[in-house]
Amino acid sequence: DTGVSQNPRHKITKRGQNVTFRCDPISEHNRLYWYRQTLGQGPEFLTYFQNEAQLEKSRLLSDRFSAERPKGSFSTLEIQRTEQGDSAMYLCASSLSENGYTFGSGTRLTVV
Amino acid sequence: EDQVTQSPEALRLQEGESSSLNCSYTVSGLRGLFWYRQDPGKGPEFLFTLYSAGEEKEKERLKATLTKKESFLHITAPKPEDSATYLCAVPPFRLDSGAGSYQLTFGKGTKLSVIP
């Protein structure tokens, strides 16, 4: 068990392009979360999966954002038509229960 | 809407100089609270879960306490390797309610720098 893995670690993209991030949770964890963090702020919740079902979505998750977790394993977060305001660290976390998450190291997105 | 406020925003300590970080929250009913540590360029690392007022948890030089309105993270004789941003977060439901999934509300964090 190597923890929660996120790829890529860094992504630079031009405004208007689509990007996709991947998260591999801890294998026995059935719960998976996506958060976004900007400089000087705490993480903000985006969405939550229990197994393959997406059970919660934040108002922050505009229609340009979509997340999937096929077969309840890894998850992808796609941002379409990126905007400069999308520049942030995108964090994935997983858990087996309510008792705290394990976060990955994040994907830092820069939109130029 | 749940609000979590951490103070101070930044704290510089000399090595060995003990201090406390504060996390205050306005939520409907005490639900428990999490503390995390975050190093630059990394995701938050779980430190403690506190479930009820009066509860205390310790780990090395860190001790977390919880009241009905706030939590403190006490750092005793800190070392330079304790330098990091410390985040607290509250869940939308009581942690022991079995309510299932939750989205945590995080504070902005306290950036701690420990100078040798």
Side-chain angles (χ1 to χ4, degrees), chain A residues 35 37 48 56 98-99 101, chain B residues 36 38 41 43 49 101-102 104:
Chain A
Y35 279 75
Q37 187 176 26
Y48 158 76
E56 291 182 39
E98 290 81 10
N99 193 20
Y101 306 154
Chain B
Y36 287 86
Q38 187 172 28
T49 307
S101 67
Y102 53 91
L104 299 182

Side-chain angles (χ1 to χ4, degrees), chain B residues 57-71:
Chain B
K57 294 274 181 75
E58 287 190 64
K59 180 180 180 180
E60 296 180 359
R61 295 175 292 281
L62 300 176
K63 182 169 78 172
T65 61
L66 184 65
T67 72
K68 288 185 178 180
K69 292 187 182 298
E70 59 192 345
S71 178

Side-chain angles (χ1 to χ4, degrees), chain A residues 14-15 56 79 89 92 94 97:
Chain A
K14 292 183 177 179
R15 189 176 53 186
E56 291 182 39
I79 309 174
M89 174 79 87
C92 176
S94 68
S97 69

Side-chain angles (χ1 to χ4, degrees), chain A residues 7-21:
Chain A
N7 288 289
R9 289 298 311 277
H10 304 276
K11 178 72 176 179
I12 300 174
T13 190
K14 292 183 177 179
R15 189 176 53 186
Q17 297 293 306
N18 299 344
V19 294
T20 300
F21 312 138

